[in-house]
CSV table of all heavy atoms in Angstrom, one decimal:
chain,number,residue,atom,x,y,z
T,22,MET,N,149.6,129.1,1.9
T,22,MET,CA,148.4,129.8,1.4
T,22,MET,C,148.8,130.6,0.1
T,22,MET,O,149.3,131.8,0.2
T,22,MET,CB,147.7,130.6,2.4
T,22,MET,CG,147.2,129.8,3.6
T,22,MET,SD,146.5,130.7,4.9
T,22,MET,CE,145.0,131.4,4.1
T,23,GLN,N,148.5,130.1,-1.1
T,23,GLN,CA,149.0,130.7,-2.3
T,23,GLN,C,148.3,132.1,-2.6
T,23,GLN,O,148.9,133.0,-2.9
T,23,GLN,CB,148.7,129.8,-3.5
T,23,GLN,CG,149.6,128.6,-3.5
T,23,GLN,CD,149.5,127.7,-4.7
T,23,GLN,OE1,148.8,128.1,-5.6
T,23,GLN,NE2,150.1,126.6,-4.7
T,24,TYR,N,146.9,132.1,-2.4
T,24,TYR,CA,146.2,133.3,-2.7
T,24,TYR,C,146.6,134.4,-1.7
T,24,TYR,O,146.7,135.6,-2.1
T,24,TYR,CB,144.7,133.1,-2.8
T,24,TYR,CG,144.0,134.3,-3.5
T,24,TYR,CD1,144.3,134.5,-4.9
T,24,TYR,CD2,143.2,135.2,-2.8
T,24,TYR,CE1,143.6,135.5,-5.6
T,24,TYR,CE2,142.6,136.3,-3.5
T,24,TYR,CZ,142.8,136.4,-4.9
T,24,TYR,OH,142.2,137.5,-5.5
T,25,LEU,N,146.8,134.1,-0.4
T,25,LEU,CA,147.2,135.1,0.6
T,25,LEU,C,148.6,135.7,0.2
T,25,LEU,O,148.7,136.9,0.3
T,25,LEU,CB,147.3,134.4,1.9
T,25,LEU,CG,147.8,135.3,3.1
T,25,LEU,CD1,147.0,136.5,3.3
T,25,LEU,CD2,147.9,134.5,4.4
T,26,ASP,N,149.4,134.8,-0.3
T,26,ASP,CA,150.7,135.3,-0.8
T,26,ASP,C,150.6,136.2,-1.9
T,26,ASP,O,151.3,137.2,-2.0
T,26,ASP,CB,151.7,134.1,-1.1
T,26,ASP,CG,153.1,134.5,-1.4
T,26,ASP,OD1,153.8,134.9,-0.4
T,26,ASP,OD2,153.5,134.4,-2.5
T,27,MET,N,149.7,135.9,-2.9
T,27,MET,CA,149.5,136.7,-4.1
T,27,MET,C,149.0,138.1,-3.6
T,27,MET,O,149.4,139.1,-4.2
T,27,MET,CB,148.5,136.0,-5.0
T,27,MET,CG,149.0,134.8,-5.7
T,27,MET,SD,147.8,133.7,-6.4
T,27,MET,CE,146.9,134.8,-7.5
T,28,VAL,N,148.0,138.1,-2.7
T,28,VAL,CA,147.5,139.4,-2.2
T,28,VAL,C,148.5,140.3,-1.6
T,28,VAL,O,148.6,141.5,-1.9
T,28,VAL,CB,146.3,139.1,-1.2
T,28,VAL,CG1,145.9,140.4,-0.5
T,28,VAL,CG2,145.1,138.6,-2.0
T,29,VAL,N,149.3,139.7,-0.7
T,29,VAL,CA,150.3,140.5,0.0
T,29,VAL,C,151.4,140.9,-1.0
T,29,VAL,O,151.9,142.1,-0.9
T,29,VAL,CB,151.0,139.6,1.1
T,29,VAL,CG1,152.2,140.4,1.8
T,29,VAL,CG2,149.9,139.3,2.2
T,30,SER,N,151.8,140.1,-1.9
T,30,SER,CA,152.8,140.5,-3.0
T,30,SER,C,152.3,141.7,-3.8
T,30,SER,O,153.0,142.6,-4.1
T,30,SER,CB,153.1,139.3,-3.9
T,30,SER,OG,153.7,138.3,-3.2
T,31,GLU,N,151.0,141.7,-4.1
T,31,GLU,CA,150.4,142.8,-4.9
T,31,GLU,C,150.3,144.1,-4.1
T,31,GLU,O,150.5,145.2,-4.6
T,31,GLU,CB,149.0,142.4,-5.5
T,31,GLU,CG,148.3,143.5,-6.2
T,31,GLU,CD,149.0,143.9,-7.5
T,31,GLU,OE1,150.2,143.6,-7.7
T,31,GLU,OE2,148.4,144.7,-8.3
T,32,VAL,N,150.0,143.9,-2.8
T,32,VAL,CA,150.0,145.1,-1.9
T,32,VAL,C,151.4,145.7,-1.8
T,32,VAL,O,151.6,147.0,-2.0
T,32,VAL,CB,149.6,144.7,-0.5
T,32,VAL,CG1,149.7,145.9,0.5
T,32,VAL,CG2,148.1,144.3,-0.4
T,33,LEU,N,152.4,144.9,-1.7
T,33,LEU,CA,153.8,145.4,-1.7
T,33,LEU,C,154.2,146.0,-3.0
T,33,LEU,O,155.1,146.9,-3.0
T,33,LEU,CB,154.7,144.2,-1.3
T,33,LEU,CG,154.6,143.7,0.2
T,33,LEU,CD1,155.4,142.4,0.4
T,33,LEU,CD2,155.2,144.8,1.1
T,34,ARG,N,153.7,145.5,-4.1
T,34,ARG,CA,154.0,146.1,-5.4
T,34,ARG,C,153.4,147.5,-5.5
T,34,ARG,O,154.0,148.5,-5.9
T,34,ARG,CB,153.5,145.2,-6.6
T,34,ARG,CG,153.8,145.9,-7.9
T,34,ARG,CD,152.9,145.4,-9.0
T,34,ARG,NE,151.5,145.8,-8.8
T,34,ARG,CZ,151.0,147.0,-9.1
T,34,ARG,NH1,151.8,148.0,-9.6
T,34,ARG,NH2,149.7,147.3,-8.9
T,35,LYS,N,152.1,147.6,-5.2
T,35,LYS,CA,151.4,148.8,-5.4
T,35,LYS,C,151.7,149.8,-4.3
T,35,LYS,O,151.8,151.0,-4.6
T,35,LYS,CB,149.8,148.5,-5.3
T,35,LYS,CG,149.0,149.7,-5.8
T,35,LYS,CD,147.5,149.5,-5.8
T,35,LYS,CE,146.7,150.7,-6.2
T,35,LYS,NZ,145.3,150.5,-6.2
T,36,TRP,N,152.0,149.4,-3.1
T,36,TRP,CA,152.3,150.3,-2.0
T,36,TRP,C,153.6,149.9,-1.3
T,36,TRP,O,153.6,149.4,-0.2
T,36,TRP,CB,151.2,150.3,-1.0
T,36,TRP,CG,149.9,150.7,-1.6
T,36,TRP,CD1,148.8,149.9,-1.8
T,36,TRP,CD2,149.5,152.1,-2.0
T,36,TRP,NE1,147.7,150.7,-2.4
T,36,TRP,CE2,148.1,152.0,-2.4
T,36,TRP,CE3,150.1,153.3,-1.9
T,36,TRP,CZ2,147.5,153.1,-2.9
T,36,TRP,CZ3,149.5,154.4,-2.4
T,36,TRP,CH2,148.1,154.3,-2.8
T,37,PRO,N,154.8,150.0,-2.0
T,37,PRO,CA,156.0,149.7,-1.3
T,37,PRO,C,156.4,150.8,-0.3
T,37,PRO,O,156.9,151.8,-0.6
T,37,PRO,CB,157.0,149.7,-2.5
T,37,PRO,CG,156.4,150.7,-3.5
T,37,PRO,CD,155.0,150.6,-3.4
T,38,VAL,N,156.0,150.5,1.0
T,38,VAL,CA,156.0,151.5,2.0
T,38,VAL,C,157.4,152.2,2.2
T,38,VAL,O,157.5,153.4,2.4
T,38,VAL,CB,155.5,150.9,3.3
T,38,VAL,CG1,155.6,151.9,4.5
T,38,VAL,CG2,154.0,150.5,3.2
T,39,PRO,N,158.5,151.5,2.1
T,39,PRO,CA,159.8,152.2,2.2
T,39,PRO,C,160.1,153.3,1.1
T,39,PRO,O,160.9,154.2,1.3
T,39,PRO,CB,160.9,151.1,2.2
T,39,PRO,CG,160.1,149.9,2.6
T,39,PRO,CD,158.7,150.1,2.0
T,40,LEU,N,159.4,153.1,0.0
T,40,LEU,CA,159.5,154.0,-1.2
T,40,LEU,C,160.8,154.0,-1.9
T,40,LEU,O,160.8,154.0,-3.2
T,40,LEU,CB,159.2,155.4,-0.8
T,40,LEU,CG,157.8,155.7,-0.1
T,40,LEU,CD1,157.7,157.2,0.1
T,40,LEU,CD2,156.7,155.2,-1.0
T,41,ILE,N,162.0,153.9,-1.3
T,41,ILE,CA,163.2,153.9,-1.9
T,41,ILE,C,164.2,152.9,-1.3
T,41,ILE,O,164.0,152.5,-0.2
T,41,ILE,CB,163.9,155.4,-1.9
T,41,ILE,CG1,164.2,155.8,-0.5
T,41,ILE,CG2,163.0,156.4,-2.7
T,41,ILE,CD1,165.2,156.8,-0.3
T,42,THR,N,165.2,152.6,-2.1
T,42,THR,CA,166.4,152.0,-1.5
T,42,THR,C,167.6,152.8,-2.1
T,42,THR,O,167.5,153.4,-3.2
T,42,THR,CB,166.5,150.5,-1.8
T,42,THR,OG1,167.6,149.9,-1.1
T,42,THR,CG2,166.6,150.2,-3.3
T,43,ASP,N,168.7,152.7,-1.5
T,43,ASP,CA,169.9,153.5,-1.9
T,43,ASP,C,171.2,152.8,-1.7
T,43,ASP,O,171.3,151.8,-1.0
T,43,ASP,CB,169.9,154.9,-1.2
T,43,ASP,CG,170.3,154.7,0.3
T,43,ASP,OD1,169.4,154.4,1.1
T,43,ASP,OD2,171.5,154.8,0.6
T,44,ARG,N,172.2,153.3,-2.5
T,44,ARG,CA,173.5,152.7,-2.3
T,44,ARG,C,174.5,153.9,-2.5
T,44,ARG,O,174.2,154.9,-3.2
T,44,ARG,CB,173.8,151.6,-3.4
T,44,ARG,CG,173.0,150.4,-3.2
T,44,ARG,CD,173.4,149.6,-2.0
T,44,ARG,NE,172.7,148.3,-1.9
T,44,ARG,CZ,171.5,148.2,-1.4
T,44,ARG,NH1,170.9,149.2,-0.8
T,44,ARG,NH2,170.9,147.0,-1.3
T,45,THR,N,175.8,153.6,-2.1
T,45,THR,CA,176.9,154.6,-2.3
T,45,THR,C,178.0,153.8,-3.1
T,45,THR,O,178.3,152.6,-2.7
T,45,THR,CB,177.5,155.1,-1.0
T,45,THR,OG1,176.5,155.9,-0.3
T,45,THR,CG2,178.7,156.0,-1.3
């Protein structure tokens, strides 16, 4: 389902719930 994938991808772009990633 291409449009469903597009919608979910845009949600993850606008609202990346983890907010950060980190490294040492």
Side-chain angles (χ1 to χ4, degrees):
M22 294 179 67
Q23 290 184 8
Y24 197 68
L25 176 59
D26 187 69
M27 289 162 58
V28 167
V29 173
S30 296
E31 176 66 347
V32 173
L33 290 167
R34 180 205 64 82
K35 189 176 178 183
W36 301 107
V38 175
L40 300 182
I41 61 160
T42 187
D43 69 274
R44 295 291 185 272
T45 296

